[in-house]
Amino acid sequence: MFRRSFRRFCAGEEKRVGTRTVFLGNHQDSTTTTETYIAPRFCDNRIVSSKYTLWNFLPKNLFEQFRRIANFYFLIIFLVQVTVDTPTSPVTSGLPLFFVITVTAIKQGYEDWLRHRADNEVNKSTVYIIENAKRVKKESEKIKVGDIVEVQADETFPCDLILLSSCTSDGICYVTSASLDGESNCKTHYAVRDTIAVCSEECVDTLRAIIECEQPQPDLYKFVGRINIYNNSTEAVASCVHFLFRSLGPENLLLKGATLKNTKKIYGVAVYTGMETKMALNYQGKSQKRSAVEKSINAFLIVYLLILLTKATICTALKYLWQSTPHNDEPWYNQKTQKERDTWKVLKIFTDFLSFMVLFNFIIPVSMYVTVEMQKFLGSFFISWDKDFFDEEINEGALVNTSDLNEELGQVDYVFTDKTGTLTENCMEFIECCIDGHKYKGIIQETDGLSQTDGPLTYFDKADKNREELFLRALCLCHTVEIKTNDAVDGATESADLTYVCSSPDEIALVKGAQKYGFTFLGIQNGHMRLENQRKEIEEYELLHTLNFDSVRRRMSVIVKTPTGDILLFCKGADSAVFPRVQKDEIASTKIHVDQNAMDGYRTLCIAFKEIAPDEYERIDKQLIEAKMALQDREEKMDKVFDDIETNMNLIGATAVEDRLQDQAAETIEALHAAGLKVWVLTGDKMETAKSTCYACRLFQTSTELLELTTRTIEESASKEGRLCELLNEYQKKLNEYPKSSRSLKKTWTEHQEFGLIIDGSTLSLILNSAQDTVSNNYKSIFLQICMKCTAVLCCRMAPLQKAQIVKMVKNLKGSPITLSIGDGANDVSMILESHVGIGVKGKEGRQAARNSDYSVPKFKHLKKLLLAHGHLYYMRIAHLVQYFFYKNLCFILPQFLYQFFCGFSQQPLYDAAYLTMYNICFTSLPILAYSLLEQHINIDTLTSDPRLYMKISGNAMLQLGPFIYWTFLAAFEGTVFFFGTYFLFQTSSLEENAKVFGNWTFGTIVFTVLVFTVTLKLALDTRYWTWINHFVIWGSLAFYVFFSFFWGGIIWPFLKQQRMYFVFAHMLTSVSTWLAIVLLIFISLFPEILLIVLRNVNHGSARRNLSCKKASDSLSTRPSVRPLLLRTFSDESNIL
């Protein structure tokens, strides 16, 4: 009966596309069973942010790991060694590969286990559901759509709820949504007036209602629905079922992740659960982030694979060319078997090719991945241990959630930052105001209203007394501030026994500003706003309507009735929104103050009013009620009514409020700019607020010409798309007049800031979602060209997913710039996950961003050292590690390749199997690991004090083709010296006094000895920052090699079939010629490097002397005269910031 009656009153509504129907408490028609009803299926309330499950971990992780070229290559080599008779054992490839795969899987599995644990904390949390008039305890993941949930004070809402009632008599509750929209102040939410009285388990369970609302969508600020309440007063009359229809909006919706404050408990009905909640819809799925260094490693591996294939092909071809001579193919001392003679020649060639591949496979450094993983994991602790990142306020330091991206911190091109809670502290302070063009600043004495201040006189003239009081009444009445007595609230401002609560901190600041001048807002009682004037008299105004703030209108208004029966409209908003709606002759005097306050970086609002005649109010009241009850196009209808009402007003004055920046936020942005990084601010805040903050934090300079692509500029024309196209072309033409700087001149744009771009969410949607794909792509292309030529970009009124869209657009630009996103709330999670590097700020805005980020820091200012010092050093270290690994492995294998020319291409190994296995694992691994963890080629203080050093490594400079070719040729030169130097030594038939001749294993051991000492001493030459650890591992590795060689050759090992190395090393060192050859070959190999260092030091010394003379002659200079490390790179002129 209940369901049939509802359908009769709302025919066709239930099936409307894009809506869902929710039965309150899942109470459906239990009195009628004749009609079959299939309940809609909604998702459960589980949240999943993890990447793996128990079942897919192994295949998924293995797939991701074998995407690495080296891992895949060694898997193939291992399979070849298992199936084909090769010169080396399968263990030489299989064991290192197994170790790499296992260590990486354990590390990634542990990180995902932490995400599973975090998910379980949420999913297994306790909630209370009302079932059969009883309070039932359940786990959060078991909540279903339609369940009635009870939430206690300071608890987080487990899903998206429609507020039914609260413990207060007016059905109001207070919510902090810091983890969702970045606002730490309380927001007020309301229950519909017909469910306010439902405040017990029994009453809630007897309530019968149906909710119709839109399907889940990610916009946090939009919600359209309707609740249809069954009126049981006519229950006895079966044919007369009554419904009360009430509209639902964002003020009725409690979002998952928000926290109940200042209210003992509420009842709400679940409408969106689990991954369909607005919070979950604003999350992007976690994807595998891969650093630019890893991509460079893969590119280098391809080059070395080509070198390997070339070597194997050359050796295979030359082998059969050699064997084309009969006595070379089958000498008398090595006759072939019948099976070898019968083998198919093509198969034999292929087998020989694979054997050469295996012989030379050590040119591919699989152990490099192990070292890189260890370097990243151990290196990440330096961030956690950095005392400069410790914040005493929250008693926490920095945290590394993903160590795979350490080096990416040194390659960032674009920084995307949130505003509220990231750049600012979200703490507003009333600074000054102007009334009819007269400026007021300071705290008045209550004996004389605004006529006198406690401090120095801060205005030159006074407005009329009535106008002063009208202005202050407007501040006390035109707002959405609620008041609580003797109850602390997050984000609230307290005065005496009053606590002001509001979603907008600047509204609290304005109310407090009025209080400074003698007008105190006392709250709302029975629909009347109460205030105390300067004479300590209580005034009451009936609140008739509130015209809420809107991002398009950029203003808000209230309509009140005075005690004398007059009806007044008070309006406050941005100057651009208020000035066109007031008398023209009133603007000039106020505009001067507004412009000056904006230049000072304050947030400004203009105050206006008008009187409304009774008959006009009746018409306005009727229009407002009709618009609020509309289910379709509600916002558009309300905007039209608001627009008609807020006209022909009278300007009273303006206010100036300061949103305090975080400590050193401006200095940090300046340092990032000086480092060549482009900083974009992405915020959900309104344009005027964000614009003021950008000026305060020096993102915009006073000389910056701002280009606007906002709703205000677009809606000036009847055709939005036409106007957008016109603006895009106009801005592009203007920017094309300026020459485009090349990447090598990356700093050019930081020296002369010319243009800044401001865009809002609505315009961005128009650009990305145009009616025609071709038009949309054209808009997007022009928009990106404009962005690239602007020195700074501000994106305001951005939804979380739009932030991610912006980041993704920049990521996909030509050249694939490295992006970094930093934010502090759940609304920033999408862009944090989308960017190459995600930074979460710990603080007042919850920990959603910190939990989903790659790194988390307490304050925005810590980003400076994180990038300029840690990022710089991490990149330099790992880039050197990568180049060094390829270098030492080419040095290792090139003599083996050359040796084949002197052994008839018989695949005879030059080195003993023990040396092949131990070279990368023991003899040369620890020195480069210590270097990659501890090296500081430039002092940390110097890196942070001069940000331009960051530009020297930008664009993956150390892993470009030039440095790679240098290292490759250096390795080729040294490998050639190793082999032919030893070869010429062996031209003497006897190297011993007793005329004994050394054999081939002695030859290989001499080459290997020179190799180990040369590559280790090369690293010692590269080291600029020596610690006891560096000394220990470098000299210790050399000593260990000597010890191992004596030990390995000094014992007859029973498990070896051939004792080929027995006493070889000790016997080799008995020859003076061998000693001299080893020392000489090491010196010849390192001579180019030594010569380069000497020349570099001579040039730096000359630069230092010239710079000292220049500084001595500059008597006006106040900068420090001694900066030795910096002088290596920059001249004195380039040090001036």
Side-chain angles (χ1 to χ4, degrees), residues 629-686:
M629 288 301 297
L631 188 59
Q632 296 294 321
D633 302 324
R634 181 188 302 172
E635 293 182 355
E636 290 78 1
K637 294 177 180 178
M638 292 182 67
D639 287 344
K640 186 177 184 304
V641 176
F642 291 172
D643 194 61
D644 292 338
I645 297 172
E646 295 166 328
T647 54
N648 299 319
M649 297 185 292
N650 297 290
L651 186 64
I652 314 175
T655 62
V657 174
E658 182 181 20
D659 183 6
R660 197 164 60 216
L661 286 176
Q662 281 196 17
D663 182 36
Q664 298 183 34
E667 290 81 357
T668 300
I669 287 184
E670 280 192 328
L672 296 178
H673 273 163
L677 279 66
K678 285 194 174 183
V679 182
W680 292 24
V681 174
L682 312 182
T683 178
D685 214 337
K686 57 182 181 288

Coordinates of all heavy atoms in Angstrom, one line a residue, residues 629-686:
M629 N 11.8 24.4 -3.9 CA 11.1 23.1 -3.9 C 11.3 22.3 -5.2 O 10.9 21.2 -5.4 CB 9.6 23.3 -3.8 CG 9.2 23.7 -2.4 SD 9.6 22.5 -1.1 CE 8.7 21.1 -1.7
A630 N 12.0 23.0 -6.2 CA 12.2 22.3 -7.5 C 13.2 21.2 -7.4 O 14.2 21.3 -6.7 CB 12.7 23.3 -8.5
L631 N 12.9 20.0 -8.0 CA 13.8 18.9 -8.0 C 14.7 18.9 -9.2 O 15.8 18.5 -9.2 CB 13.0 17.6 -7.9 CG 13.8 16.3 -7.7 CD1 14.6 16.4 -6.4 CD2 12.9 15.1 -7.8
Q632 N 14.2 19.5 -10.3 CA 15.0 19.6 -11.5 C 15.4 21.0 -11.7 O 14.7 21.9 -11.5 CB 14.1 19.1 -12.8 CG 13.7 17.7 -12.7 CD 14.8 16.7 -12.9 OE1 15.8 17.0 -13.6 NE2 14.8 15.6 -12.1
D633 N 16.7 21.1 -12.1 CA 17.3 22.5 -12.3 C 17.1 23.4 -11.2 O 16.9 24.6 -11.4 CB 16.7 23.1 -13.6 CG 16.9 22.2 -14.8 OD1 18.0 21.5 -14.9 OD2 16.0 22.1 -15.7
R634 N 17.2 22.9 -10.0 CA 17.0 23.7 -8.8 C 18.0 24.9 -8.7 O 17.6 26.0 -8.4 CB 17.1 22.9 -7.5 CG 16.8 23.7 -6.3 CD 17.1 22.8 -5.0 NE 16.3 21.6 -5.0 CZ 16.5 20.6 -4.1 NH1 17.4 20.7 -3.2 NH2 15.7 19.6 -4.1
E635 N 19.2 24.6 -8.9 CA 20.3 25.6 -8.8 C 20.1 26.8 -9.8 O 20.2 27.9 -9.4 CB 21.7 25.0 -8.9 CG 22.0 24.1 -7.8 CD 23.4 23.5 -8.0 OE1 24.0 23.8 -9.0 OE2 23.9 22.8 -7.1
E636 N 19.8 26.4 -11.0 CA 19.6 27.4 -12.0 C 18.4 28.3 -11.7 O 18.4 29.6 -11.9 CB 19.3 26.8 -13.4 CG 20.6 26.1 -14.0 CD 20.9 24.8 -13.4 OE1 20.1 24.3 -12.5 OE2 21.9 24.1 -13.8
K637 N 17.3 27.7 -11.2 CA 16.1 28.5 -10.8 C 16.4 29.5 -9.7 O 16.0 30.6 -9.6 CB 14.9 27.6 -10.5 CG 14.4 26.8 -11.7 CD 13.3 25.8 -11.4 CE 12.9 25.1 -12.6 NZ 11.8 24.1 -12.3
M638 N 17.1 28.9 -8.7 CA 17.4 29.8 -7.5 C 18.4 30.9 -7.9 O 18.2 32.0 -7.4 CB 18.0 28.9 -6.4 CG 17.0 27.9 -5.8 SD 17.7 26.9 -4.4 CE 18.0 28.2 -3.2
D639 N 19.3 30.6 -8.8 CA 20.3 31.6 -9.2 C 19.5 32.8 -9.9 O 19.9 34.0 -9.7 CB 21.3 31.0 -10.1 CG 22.4 30.2 -9.4 OD1 22.4 30.3 -8.2 OD2 23.1 29.4 -10.0
K640 N 18.5 32.4 -10.7 CA 17.8 33.4 -11.4 C 17.0 34.3 -10.4 O 17.0 35.6 -10.6 CB 16.8 32.8 -12.4 CG 16.1 33.8 -13.3 CD 15.2 33.0 -14.3 CE 14.6 34.0 -15.3 NZ 13.8 35.1 -14.6
V641 N 16.4 33.7 -9.4 CA 15.7 34.5 -8.4 C 16.6 35.4 -7.6 O 16.3 36.6 -7.4 CB 14.9 33.6 -7.5 CG1 14.2 34.4 -6.4 CG2 13.8 32.8 -8.3
F642 N 17.8 34.8 -7.2 CA 18.7 35.6 -6.5 C 19.2 36.8 -7.3 O 19.4 37.9 -6.8 CB 19.9 34.8 -6.1 CG 19.7 33.7 -5.1 CD1 20.6 32.7 -4.8 CD2 18.4 33.6 -4.4 CE1 20.4 31.7 -3.8 CE2 18.2 32.7 -3.5 CZ 19.1 31.7 -3.2
D643 N 19.4 36.6 -8.6 CA 19.9 37.6 -9.4 C 18.9 38.8 -9.6 O 19.3 39.9 -9.6 CB 20.2 37.0 -10.8 CG 21.1 37.9 -11.7 OD1 22.2 38.2 -11.3 OD2 20.6 38.3 -12.8
D644 N 17.7 38.4 -9.6 CA 16.6 39.5 -9.7 C 16.5 40.2 -8.4 O 16.2 41.5 -8.4 CB 15.3 38.8 -10.0 CG 15.2 38.2 -11.4 OD1 16.1 38.6 -12.2 OD2 14.4 37.3 -11.7
I645 N 16.7 39.6 -7.3 CA 16.6 40.3 -6.0 C 17.7 41.2 -5.7 O 17.5 42.4 -5.3 CB 16.5 39.2 -4.8 CG1 15.2 38.4 -5.0 CG2 16.5 39.9 -3.5 CD1 15.2 37.2 -4.0
E646 N 19.0 40.8 -6.0 CA 20.2 41.6 -5.6 C 20.5 42.6 -6.7 O 21.5 42.6 -7.4 CB 21.3 40.6 -5.5 CG 21.2 39.7 -4.3 CD 22.2 38.5 -4.3 OE1 22.6 38.1 -5.4 OE2 22.5 38.0 -3.2
T647 N 19.6 43.6 -6.8 CA 19.8 44.7 -7.8 C 19.4 46.0 -7.1 O 18.7 46.0 -6.1 CB 18.9 44.5 -9.1 OG1 17.5 44.3 -8.7 CG2 19.3 43.2 -9.8
N648 N 19.9 47.1 -7.7 CA 19.6 48.4 -7.2 C 19.9 48.6 -5.7 O 19.1 49.1 -5.0 CB 18.1 48.8 -7.5 CG 17.8 48.7 -9.0 OD1 18.6 49.2 -9.8 ND2 16.7 48.2 -9.3
M649 N 21.0 48.1 -5.3 CA 21.4 48.2 -3.9 C 22.2 49.4 -3.6 O 22.6 50.1 -4.6 CB 22.2 46.9 -3.5 CG 21.4 45.6 -3.6 SD 22.4 44.2 -2.9 CE 23.7 44.1 -4.2
N650 N 22.4 49.7 -2.4 CA 23.2 50.9 -2.0 C 24.5 50.4 -1.3 O 24.4 49.6 -0.4 CB 22.5 51.8 -1.0 CG 21.2 52.4 -1.7 OD1 21.3 53.2 -2.5 ND2 20.0 51.9 -1.2
L651 N 25.6 50.9 -1.7 CA 26.9 50.5 -1.2 C 27.2 51.2 0.2 O 27.0 52.4 0.3 CB 28.0 50.8 -2.2 CG 29.4 50.3 -1.8 CD1 29.5 48.8 -1.8 CD2 30.5 50.8 -2.8
I652 N 27.6 50.4 1.2 CA 27.9 51.0 2.5 C 29.4 51.1 2.7 O 29.9 52.1 3.1 CB 27.3 50.1 3.6 CG1 25.9 49.7 3.3 CG2 27.4 50.9 4.9 CD1 25.3 48.8 4.4
G653 N 30.1 50.0 2.4 CA 31.6 50.0 2.6 C 32.2 48.7 2.2 O 31.6 47.9 1.5
A654 N 33.4 48.4 2.8 CA 34.1 47.2 2.5 C 35.0 46.8 3.7 O 35.2 47.6 4.6 CB 35.0 47.4 1.3
T655 N 35.4 45.5 3.7 CA 36.2 45.0 4.8 C 37.5 44.4 4.2 O 37.5 44.1 3.0 CB 35.4 43.9 5.5 OG1 35.1 42.8 4.6 CG2 34.1 44.4 6.1
A656 N 38.4 44.3 5.1 CA 39.7 43.7 4.7 C 40.1 42.6 5.8 O 40.1 43.0 7.0 CB 40.8 44.7 4.6
V657 N 40.3 41.4 5.4 CA 40.6 40.3 6.3 C 41.8 39.6 5.8 O 42.0 39.4 4.6 CB 39.4 39.2 6.3 CG1 39.8 38.0 7.1 CG2 38.2 39.9 6.9
E658 N 42.7 39.2 6.7 CA 43.9 38.6 6.4 C 43.9 37.1 6.7 O 43.5 36.7 7.8 CB 45.1 39.2 7.2 CG 46.5 38.6 6.8 CD 47.6 39.1 7.6 OE1 47.3 39.7 8.7 OE2 48.8 39.0 7.2
D659 N 44.2 36.3 5.6 CA 44.3 34.8 5.8 C 45.8 34.6 6.0 O 46.6 34.7 5.0 CB 43.8 34.1 4.6 CG 43.8 32.6 4.8 OD1 44.2 32.1 5.9 OD2 43.5 31.9 3.8
R660 N 46.2 34.3 7.2 CA 47.6 34.2 7.5 C 48.3 33.0 6.8 O 47.8 31.9 6.8 CB 47.8 34.0 9.0 CG 49.2 34.3 9.5 CD 49.3 34.5 11.0 NE 48.8 33.3 11.7 CZ 48.1 33.3 12.8 NH1 47.7 34.4 13.3 NH2 47.7 32.2 13.4
L661 N 49.4 33.3 6.1 CA 50.1 32.3 5.4 C 50.9 31.4 6.4 O 51.2 31.9 7.5 CB 51.1 32.9 4.4 CG 50.6 33.5 3.2 CD1 51.8 34.2 2.4 CD2 50.0 32.5 2.3
Q662 N 51.2 30.2 6.0 CA 52.1 29.4 6.8 C 53.4 30.0 6.9 O 53.9 30.7 6.0 CB 52.2 28.0 6.2 CG 51.0 27.1 6.5 CD 51.3 25.6 6.3 OE1 52.4 25.2 6.2 NE2 50.3 24.8 6.2
D663 N 54.1 29.7 7.9 CA 55.5 30.2 8.1 C 56.4 29.8 6.9 O 56.4 28.6 6.5 CB 56.1 29.7 9.4 CG 57.5 30.2 9.7 OD1 57.7 31.4 9.4 OD2 58.3 29.4 10.2
Q664 N 57.0 30.8 6.3 CA 58.0 30.6 5.2 C 57.3 30.1 3.9 O 58.1 29.6 3.0 CB 59.1 29.7 5.6 CG 60.0 30.2 6.8 CD 61.1 29.3 7.1 OE1 61.7 28.7 6.3 NE2 61.5 29.3 8.4
A665 N 56.0 30.2 3.8 CA 55.4 29.8 2.6 C 55.8 30.6 1.4 O 56.1 30.1 0.3 CB 53.9 29.8 2.7
A666 N 55.9 31.9 1.6 CA 56.3 32.8 0.4 C 57.7 32.5 0.1 O 58.1 32.5 -1.1 CB 56.0 34.3 0.8
E667 N 58.6 32.4 1.1 CA 60.0 32.1 0.8 C 60.2 30.8 0.1 O 61.1 30.7 -0.8 CB 60.8 32.1 2.1 CG 60.9 33.5 2.8 CD 59.7 33.9 3.6 OE1 58.7 33.1 3.6 OE2 59.7 34.9 4.2
T668 N 59.4 29.8 0.4 CA 59.5 28.5 -0.2 C 59.1 28.6 -1.7 O 59.8 28.1 -2.6 CB 58.6 27.5 0.5 OG1 59.0 27.4 1.8 CG2 58.7 26.1 -0.2
I669 N 58.0 29.3 -2.0 CA 57.6 29.5 -3.4 C 58.6 30.3 -4.2 O 58.9 30.0 -5.3 CB 56.2 30.2 -3.5 CG1 55.1 29.2 -3.0 CG2 55.9 30.7 -4.9 CD1 53.7 29.7 -3.1
E670 N 59.2 31.3 -3.6 CA 60.3 32.1 -4.2 C 61.5 31.2 -4.5 O 62.1 31.2 -5.6 CB 60.7 33.2 -3.4 CG 59.8 34.4 -3.4 CD 60.4 35.7 -2.8 OE1 61.2 35.5 -1.8 OE2 60.2 36.8 -3.3
A671 N 61.8 30.3 -3.6 CA 62.9 29.4 -3.8 C 62.6 28.4 -4.9 O 63.5 28.1 -5.8 CB 63.2 28.6 -2.5
L672 N 61.4 27.9 -5.0 CA 61.0 27.0 -6.1 C 61.0 27.7 -7.4 O 61.5 27.1 -8.4 CB 59.6 26.4 -5.8 CG 59.4 25.6 -4.5 CD1 58.0 25.1 -4.4 CD2 60.4 24.4 -4.6
H673 N 60.6 28.9 -7.5 CA 60.7 29.7 -8.7 C 62.1 29.9 -9.1 O 62.5 29.7 -10.3 CB 60.0 31.0 -8.5 CG 58.5 31.0 -8.8 ND1 57.7 32.0 -8.4 CD2 57.8 30.1 -9.5 CE1 56.5 31.7 -8.8 NE2 56.5 30.6 -9.4
A674 N 63.0 30.2 -8.1 CA 64.4 30.4 -8.4 C 65.1 29.1 -8.9 O 66.0 29.2 -9.7 CB 65.1 30.9 -7.2
A675 N 64.5 28.0 -8.5 CA 65.1 26.7 -8.9 C 64.6 26.3 -10.3 O 64.9 25.2 -10.8 CB 64.7 25.6 -7.9
G676 N 63.7 27.1 -10.9 CA 63.2 26.8 -12.2 C 61.9 26.0 -12.3 O 61.5 25.6 -13.3
L677 N 61.3 25.9 -11.1 CA 60.0 25.1 -11.1 C 58.9 26.1 -11.3 O 58.9 27.2 -10.9 CB 59.9 24.4 -9.7 CG 60.6 23.1 -9.5 CD1 62.1 23.3 -9.5 CD2 60.2 22.5 -8.2
K678 N 57.8 25.6 -12.0 CA 56.6 26.3 -12.1 C 55.6 25.8 -11.1 O 55.4 24.6 -10.9 CB 56.0 26.1 -13.5 CG 56.7 26.9 -14.6 CD 55.9 26.9 -15.9 CE 56.6 27.8 -16.9 NZ 55.8 27.9 -18.2
V679 N 55.0 26.8 -10.4 CA 54.1 26.5 -9.3 C 52.7 26.9 -9.7 O 52.4 28.0 -10.1 CB 54.5 27.2 -8.0 CG1 53.6 26.9 -6.8 CG2 56.0 26.9 -7.6
W680 N 51.8 25.9 -9.6 CA 50.4 26.1 -9.8 C 49.6 25.9 -8.5 O 49.9 24.9 -7.8 CB 49.8 25.1 -10.9 CG 50.4 25.3 -12.3 CD1 51.5 25.9 -12.7 CD2 49.7 24.9 -13.5 NE1 51.7 25.9 -14.0 CE2 50.6 25.2 -14.6 CE3 48.5 24.2 -13.8 CZ2 50.3 25.0 -15.9 CZ3 48.2 23.9 -15.1 CH2 49.1 24.3 -16.1
V681 N 48.7 26.8 -8.3 CA 47.8 26.6 -7.1 C 46.5 26.1 -7.6 O 45.8 26.7 -8.4 CB 47.6 27.9 -6.4 CG1 46.6 27.8 -5.2 CG2 49.0 28.4 -5.8
L682 N 46.1 24.9 -7.1 CA 44.8 24.3 -7.4 C 44.0 24.3 -6.1 O 44.3 23.6 -5.1 CB 45.0 22.9 -7.9 CG 46.0 22.6 -9.0 CD1 46.0 21.2 -9.4 CD2 45.7 23.5 -10.2
T683 N 42.9 25.0 -6.1 CA 42.1 25.1 -4.8 C 40.6 25.1 -5.1 O 40.2 25.4 -6.2 CB 42.4 26.4 -4.1 OG1 41.6 26.6 -2.9 CG2 42.2 27.6 -5.0
G684 N 39.9 24.6 -4.1 CA 38.4 24.7 -4.2 C 37.8 26.0 -3.8 O 36.6 26.2 -3.8
D685 N 38.7 26.9 -3.3 CA 38.2 28.2 -2.8 C 37.8 29.1 -3.9 O 38.1 28.9 -5.1 CB 39.3 28.8 -2.0 CG 38.8 29.6 -0.8 OD1 37.6 30.0 -0.9 OD2 39.5 29.8 0.2
K686 N 37.1 30.2 -3.6 CA 36.6 31.1 -4.6 C 37.8 31.9 -5.1 O 38.9 32.0 -4.5 CB 35.6 32.0 -4.0 CG 35.9 32.8 -2.8 CD 34.7 33.6 -2.3 CE 35.0 34.5 -1.1 NZ 35.1 33.7 0.1

